[in-house]
Amino acid sequence: MTATDIQTYRLPDRYLLTGGTWADRDGIRPADIEVIGGKISRIAAPGEISTEGVTHFDMTGKLVTYGLADVHVHFRQPGFEAKETIATGSRAAARGGFTTVCAMPNLNPTPDTTEHIALELESIRRDAVIEVLPYASITLERKGRELVDMAALKNMAVAFSDDGSGVQSEEMMLEAMRKAAELDVLIAAHCEDNNLLHGGYIHDGEYCRANGHKGICSESEWGPIERDLRLAEATGCRYHVCHISTKESVELIREAKRRGVKVTCEIGPHYLVYCDEDIKDEGRFKMNPPIRSAADRAALIEGIADGTIDCIATDHAPHTADEKSRGLRGSAMGVVGLETAFGVCHTHLVKTGIISMERLLELMCFNPRRIFRMPVEGTANIAVFDLNEEWTVDPSEFASMGKSTPFEGCTLTGRPDTLIFNGRLMKLFE
């Protein structure tokens, strides 16, 4: 067995998880869990359910909860299998404690028609070890010129996004939001004004100017958010903002929520840990949007704590080793995150007292499912975490084909060790 293998076992129709601490929307408490026919049939006080003659698994000292959900991953299939596949990406997700992920539409062909998204769905059915739900694009080929047939794609896609490019035209976004409101589907927006980029590739801050790099200004993100919030308010569209990174974005979304706009948003773990003063001239620190200033990081942490930010999503974006070996100037945008996300957030947010474990599970499990309408309660799609395990991030042991992470070499505390999905138990690590 190699470091990247996952041992998988078929479970009996009835079994028990005993001795652990159970977490759901009602809180965290010691409990034994009975599963019958792939459904949680009973959550009981420890010892209340007899283990005599029943297969049972001892979860003493472990946190047991529903599998995590990541609403922003890139699995690169079809079209870019040298970077990642459904098989490798879904195994990386399992190793991170995720039983559901939403795959972005930066693919070839773009999932912009029923025929194209069917190709992706076939790969998912064949190769995924967890639930993978595809996005459809907002516009044909993500070019921002012509709206997809949302009605035809509605039942095949978890949401609609032109992630990676964004909808540049206000008129096109207004048309998309009107149609989305009519169909009651979610728009997930990559907010980036291409006219403000000027060839930038890291945050336009002190590190950028001191080292002769080209910067990306904050307005390139918050400007489109400001526009879209106005449109969402006018149309009543359900609107989700991808990977926010600036203090202005947090405040705009906070104010829009106070006005009753149907807006939600997500943040990647790296924006909560690092600022531009921490980055090095290495491809593992290059992503879009970029790691911003210390003031931006502080505002993002405040947004996590006060409820403005709804989800933690990794924006797992694998590339080949060559594409990430060219420093900040030449490397491709994007880092991987599925296998480190829980450990990073538990270490830097929960153990430091910034948020509670209950809040972390809201951000990584319950809120993503509520916003994207992905029910899990009652199912036996479960993740088991050892909150005391201390481990060092070693990308060579990742299940993902992508190895570029800003957390390489970091020591983290807390890690999933077991996943249950669709009647199978996965032992994630040796």
Side-chain angles (χ1 to χ4, degrees):
M1 181 177 179
T2 70
T4 61
D5 287 338
I6 297 175
Q7 291 184 314
T8 302
Y9 308 92
R10 171 64 72 177
L11 289 163
D13 185 69
R14 178 175 181 243
Y15 61 91
L16 303 175
L17 305 176
T18 62
T21 300
W22 172 251
D24 59 19
R25 292 182 188 272
D26 295 325
I28 300 177
R29 67 276 191 194
D32 293 344
I33 312 300
E34 180 184 51
V35 177
I36 301 176
K39 303 286 186 181
I40 294 175
S41 63
R42 191 177 177 191
I43 301 170
E48 190 173 303
I49 306 172
S50 173
T51 60
E52 186 174 351
V54 182
T55 299
H56 60 281
F57 301 91
D58 184 6
M59 299 298 173
T60 300
K62 306 293 177 65
L63 178 74
V64 185
T65 187
Y66 293 110
L68 306 182
D70 190 337
V71 298
H72 194 137
V73 305
H74 299 267
F75 283 174
R76 309 301 191 192
Q77 185 179 1
F80 306 98
E81 288 85 351
K83 300 172 186 279
E84 190 81 287
T85 65
I86 298 295
T88 59
S90 66
R91 280 165 175 76
R95 289 265 298 247
F98 296 91
T99 55
T100 301
V101 297
C102 303
M104 283 295 177
N106 317 47
L107 303 170
N108 185 22
T110 306
D112 54 3
T113 65
T114 56
E115 293 80 12
H116 288 167
I117 202 169
L119 294 173
E120 185 180 359
L121 286 167
E122 177 55 34
S123 296
I124 291 167
R125 281 190 289 268
R126 183 182 65 241
D127 298 331
V129 300
I130 60 158
E131 182 178 44
V132 179
L133 303 174
Y135 278 85
S137 60
I138 296 171
T139 64
L140 293 177
E141 297 183 314
R142 296 173 38 249
K143 290 184 175 179
R145 297 172 186 160
E146 185 178 351
L147 196 65
V148 300
D149 186 345
M150 286 187 173
L153 290 162
K154 175 181 178 180
N155 294 326
M156 302 176 78
V158 68
F160 292 81
S161 180
D162 272 7
D163 185 59
S165 52
V167 178
Q168 300 298 307
S169 163
E170 178 169 336
E171 291 74 18
M172 179 55 64
M173 184 57 95
L174 178 60
E175 181 183 349
M177 285 190 175
R178 282 173 173 162
K179 192 63 177 179
E182 175 190 325
L183 295 170
D184 191 25
V185 297
L186 183 69
I187 294 286
H190 172 114
C191 291
E192 183 175 41
D193 186 340
N194 291 348
N195 292 322
L196 297 177
L197 298 181
H198 307 300
Y201 46 87
I202 63 171
H203 175 60
D204 186 15
E206 291 297 325
Y207 177 89
C208 175
R209 290 186 284 272
N211 292 277
H213 293 293
K214 291 184 178 180
I216 300 174
C217 69
S218 296
E219 188 179 356
S220 65
E221 174 181 300
W222 65 256
I225 292 175
E226 186 175 51
R227 178 201 74 180
D228 286 357
L229 289 171
R230 173 168 44 83
L231 300 179
E233 189 167 18
T235 61
C237 169
R238 292 194 294 127
Y239 172 64
H240 181 79
V241 190
C242 297
H243 46 48
I244 67 170
S245 68
T246 75
K247 59 183 184 294
E248 293 89 351
S249 301
V250 176
E251 188 55 33
L252 283 166
I253 293 166
R254 182 181 288 122
E255 286 301 317
K257 287 188 170 189
R258 288 172 182 163
R259 298 196 307 271
V261 180
K262 297 176 184 176
V263 58
T264 54
C265 65
E266 69 190 45
I267 182 73
H270 39 279
Y271 303 114
L272 298 166
V273 175
Y274 294 116
C275 69
D276 65 340
E277 298 167 22
D278 302 314
I279 67 174
K280 300 175 183 179
D281 195 357
E282 301 172 14
R284 67 193 182 98
F285 288 97
K286 186 177 182 181
M287 70 288 293
N288 191 26
I291 292 169
R292 303 279 188 184
S293 71
D296 290 306
R297 178 180 58 186
L300 295 167
I301 291 172
E302 182 182 357
I304 284 286
D306 72 11
T308 300
I309 296 172
D310 302 276
C311 308
I312 291 174
T314 63
D315 193 8
H316 176 86
H319 295 286
T320 65
D322 179 64
E323 289 172 320
K324 294 298 291 183
S325 66
R326 305 168 190 171
L328 291 172
R329 287 178 179 82
S331 293
M333 293 277 197
V335 295
V336 296
L338 282 166
E339 293 170 79
T340 57
F342 181 85
V344 167
C345 294
H346 179 251
T347 302
H348 290 275
L349 299 176
V350 177
K351 287 185 68 66
T352 57
I354 292 171
I355 61 173
S356 65
M357 176 56 70
E358 289 90 340
R359 174 64 177 147
L360 182 60
L361 292 176
E362 284 182 0
L363 291 158
M364 297 190 73
C365 180
F366 300 116
N367 282 355
R369 295 182 184 283
R370 171 181 56 80
I371 293 163
F372 283 73
R373 297 180 178 173
M374 306 179 296
V376 69
E377 279 87 351
T379 71
N381 292 337
I382 288 170
V384 180
F385 296 89
D386 184 342
L387 300 183
N388 296 312
E389 181 181 352
E390 191 173 273
W391 59 288
T392 300
V393 178
D394 181 356
S396 70
E397 297 182 352
F398 285 174
S400 173
M401 293 167 64
K403 310 299 181 184
S404 187
T405 168
F407 299 107
E408 181 177 356
C410 292
T411 299
L412 304 175
T413 303
R415 196 180 203 185
D417 64 16
T418 303
L419 202 73
I420 296 171
F421 181 77
N422 277 3
R424 290 181 170 85
L425 182 146
M426 306 179 207
K427 294 300 294 181
L428 303 176
F429 300 96
E430 293 183 80

